[in-house]
Amino acid sequence: MADQLLILDFGSQYTQLIARRVRELNVYCEIHPFDKIPTLGPNVRGVILSGSPCSVRQPDAPRPDLSALLGRLPVLGVCYGAQLLAHEHGGEVAPALTREYGRARLDTVDAADPLLDGISPGSVVWMSHGDTITRAPEGFRPIAGTEAVAVAAYRVDGQATWGIQFHPEVTHSEDGKTLLANFVYTICGCAPDWTPAHFVTQTVDELRAKIGADTVLLGLSGGVDSSVAALLLHRAIGARLRCIFVDNGLLRHDEFGGVLHSYQDVGLNVTGVDARAEFYGALTGLTDPEAKRKAIGRTFIEVFDREAHKVGADAKWLAQGTIYPDVIESVSVNGPSVTIKSHHNVGGLPERMHLKIVEPLRALFKDEVRRVGAELGLPPLILHRHPFPGPGLGIRILGEVTPEKVAILQQADRIFIDHLRRHDLYQQVWQAGAVLLPVQTVGVMGDERTYERVVALRAVTSVDGMTADWAHLPYTFLADVSNAIINQVKGVNRVVYDISSKPPATIEWE
């Protein structure tokens, strides 16, 4: 069983980032709410306490009982976690005279402390706190400070407990990875054996034991998550995995045939279903984004259910491409997020079809899914493609969806993506696509007046899609794309580029 770290989440926006940084060190870790501390197995080597939007001075601030952890396992408190430990042991936490947000420099460093090995005075760290530890408790020995914060880091005498008021998990902290490596490897004694190959071997064994001789159904989307889940299951149970790939008429240009062949080339037992007419019929007359999403989701369930029944009674399981951020969100400290937009999955199918759920990727972040996919030999066409929304082009056509509009958008999107690849820009952006706007504008073509459609191009840089910045593509490139779309796509006479970041905008327009 692999070594593991436990991260207790107090609601920080950086908690997932802590987990990802630990995983990058090839050590497995899990996030749990502060008030739901799991039973500690023998493979748990240490605990990290996250930051929080709360102040330890608030009457309702989260204060879990950590007595079972302190002194038994190495503990690292980050920001709120550090302040909580100090506050609970008689120290003083007060509003900072100078609120520290952003970069700061360590001007004192105890280089002999194992947490700070390899970190020197002058190292830049990232601060994000309004409170600060103004008096450390007895036995809490300061080991680093900045000009504004005397106790930027401390060590508790007599036990393997540390606290830091900065965030080593963000890239702005120059030696953040070094500090985390010191804690994970040197202090906790973890072995770096959380690798894609280890995950594949362990997961395949678990899937075989769990599924037995049953058949599993999986709805392929053409995306990396469902594809990697399929390859894991295929390695575990072979042809007893029955995949269904539905053409909803809202895919990218020529995607259905190309992806279907890629699946068959890697040996998947996959059935392709042309259901374009059903989806277009369900979308007729709908203009509201949520109504369109629900119609697409409902139709998918109907089509999938019909095709699944052709498999027979041997199917006992439904596989889903759920990944770790989805799991974390379902048990978040702050409860379910406000619905910005509904997400397209196979919701409703397990109950309707009386199937059990299997989720091979529920322990992985998105970047880990891609590394596992590479280990499994997933074709580059799928492995490195940009994320694509479940409802497809249905939410990139503002207003009613019709086959004519889909054809226009598919052509424009193809030209945009082809140009990104041709100019070696595709891998520099996280997601890109075209949007068909519900407006027409006046233009001039061949000395004749036109009144045709507008296409908006959207390209963003991001790590996980939670936040995103618009991609600063070269002007000459955008000019070439605009010219190609207007010349080659009949019915379009204007192209615009979206320069909105997330937040406040979302990546998709609907």
Side-chain angles (χ1 to χ4, degrees):
M1 186 175 293
D3 292 338
Q4 176 181 335
L5 286 188
L6 174 67
I7 300 174
L8 294 187
D9 180 23
F10 291 89
S12 170
Q13 62 178 321
Y14 295 134
T15 302
Q16 286 195 37
L17 193 51
I18 297 174
R20 290 175 54 196
R21 292 291 177 259
V22 172
R23 299 274 188 93
E24 287 172 3
L25 297 170
N26 291 330
V27 173
Y28 182 65
C29 64
E30 290 183 355
I31 297 173
H32 291 270
F34 72 89
D35 57 350
K36 297 178 182 175
I37 302 176
T39 301
L40 302 179
N43 60 322
V44 176
R45 305 295 187 191
V47 179
I48 297 177
L49 310 179
S50 84
S52 174
C54 302
S55 165
V56 297
R57 298 176 295 103
Q58 296 173 209
D60 59 347
R63 292 189 179 86
D65 181 4
L66 301 175
S67 58
L69 305 177
L70 298 174
R72 175 185 170 187
L73 290 170
V75 173
L76 174 63
V78 176
C79 198
Y80 178 89
Q83 295 169 1
L84 174 67
L85 292 172
H87 179 78
E88 293 293 287
H89 288 82
E92 184 176 286
V93 177
L97 295 177
T98 302
R99 294 165 66 87
E100 264 196 324
Y101 292 98
R103 291 177 177 83
R105 290 185 181 275
L106 299 178
D107 56 12
T108 60
V109 175
D110 182 353
D113 190 275
L115 185 69
L116 302 180
D117 183 34
I119 301 176
S120 305
S123 179
V124 172
V125 295
W126 186 262
M127 296 286 190
S128 181
H129 57 89
D131 287 350
T132 191
I133 301 171
T134 55
R135 180 177 57 81
E138 184 177 350
F140 281 51
R141 177 169 45 87
I143 57 174
T146 70
E147 182 180 356
V149 177
V151 188
Y154 63 75
R155 164 81 183 273
V156 179
D157 291 334
Q159 58 180 254
T161 300
W162 286 261
I164 54 177
Q165 293 202 81
F166 53 90
H167 290 271
E169 67 273 20
V170 303
T171 55
H172 305 296
S173 290
E174 288 179 341
D175 296 309
K177 188 171 184 178
T178 298
L179 185 148
L180 288 173
N182 289 340
F183 181 72
V184 170
Y185 297 147
T186 305
I187 295 171
C188 296
C190 292
D193 54 10
W194 175 249
T195 63
H198 177 275
F199 175 84
V200 169
T201 300
Q202 176 180 313
T203 303
V204 167
D205 289 343
E206 291 173 351
L207 289 170
R208 284 177 181 151
K210 183 174 186 177
I211 295 167
D214 294 336
T215 296
V216 179
L217 297 173
L218 188 151
L220 289 169
S221 68
V224 67
D225 295 342
S226 68
S227 301
V228 173
L231 288 183
L232 281 168
L233 284 158
H234 177 69
R235 183 166 292 192
I237 64 172
R240 285 184 289 113
L241 171 67
R242 303 292 294 272
C243 300
I244 299 172
F245 184 30
V246 177
D247 184 357
N248 60 9
L250 305 169
L251 302 175
R252 301 175 179 95
H253 180 75
D254 286 340
E255 178 175 32
F256 182 65
V259 172
L260 188 59
H261 284 301
S262 294
Y263 285 142
Q264 293 169 339
D265 289 343
V266 295
L268 291 181
N269 184 359
V270 55
T271 299
V273 182
D274 182 354
R276 290 174 294 177
E278 290 179 67
F279 282 88
Y280 291 153
L283 289 166
T284 300
L286 299 183
T287 59
D288 177 73
E290 277 299 292
K292 291 194 293 184
R293 284 176 176 269
K294 290 176 181 177
I296 293 168
R298 183 176 61 252
T299 306
F300 175 81
I301 289 175
E302 293 170 354
V303 173
F304 189 94
D305 186 31
R306 183 180 67 234
E307 294 300 318
H309 274 88
K310 298 177 183 178
V311 174
D314 290 338
K316 298 294 195 305
W317 298 85
L318 179 68
Q320 293 189 164
T322 306
I323 61 176
Y324 198 41
D326 303 324
V327 177
I328 297 169
E329 177 68 18
S330 68
V331 293
S332 70
V333 170
N334 299 315
S337 301
V338 174
T339 298
I340 304 300
K341 56 191 177 185
S342 60
H343 288 266
H344 175 68
N345 206 320
V346 293
L349 274 174
E351 297 82 2
R352 177 171 177 159
M353 301 174 65
H354 307 291
L355 298 175
K356 294 176 286 186
I357 292 294
V358 58
E359 298 169 316
L361 307 179
R362 63 181 286 112
L364 300 184
F365 287 103
K366 189 76 171 186
D367 54 335
E368 293 173 320
V369 173
R370 293 189 190 279
R371 290 200 292 272
V372 169
E375 178 73 21
L376 290 165
L378 185 67
L381 170 70
I382 301 174
L383 181 65
H384 299 300
R385 71 190 327 182
H386 291 167
F388 191 64
L393 301 182
I395 58 168
R396 291 183 179 174
I397 296 173
L398 276 58
E400 184 180 9
V401 176
T402 66
E404 176 205 6
K405 293 178 182 178
V406 171
I408 291 174
L409 187 56
Q410 283 178 331
Q411 294 179 64
D413 183 80
R414 175 186 56 79
I415 291 170
F416 186 26
I417 299 302
D418 284 351
H419 274 66
L420 286 170
R421 294 185 188 279
R422 197 177 307 149
H423 289 78
D424 294 324
L425 293 169
Y426 185 81
Q427 296 299 333
Q428 295 182 33
V429 302
W430 190 77
Q431 183 172 340
V435 182
L436 188 63
L437 305 188
V439 294
Q440 292 178 276
T441 65
V442 173
V444 178
M445 291 183 178
D447 294 327
E448 293 184 3
R449 177 185 182 276
T450 62
Y451 191 57
E452 296 180 332
R453 301 186 182 279
V454 180
V455 165
L457 304 181
R458 179 75 157 142
V460 298
T461 56
S462 182
V463 174
D464 53 17
M466 300 300 292
T467 61
D469 192 16
W470 60 278
H472 295 230
L473 299 176
Y475 293 148
T476 52
F477 168 81
L478 291 173
D480 287 344
V481 174
S482 173
N483 187 61
I485 290 174
I486 291 172
N487 282 333
Q488 297 177 35
V489 183
K490 187 176 181 180
V492 175
N493 69 354
R494 192 178 300 269
V495 174
V496 298
Y497 187 54
D498 183 347
I499 58 171
S500 309
S501 295
K502 175 187 179 180
T506 53
I507 295 176
E508 299 295 341
W509 280 44
E510 290 192 340

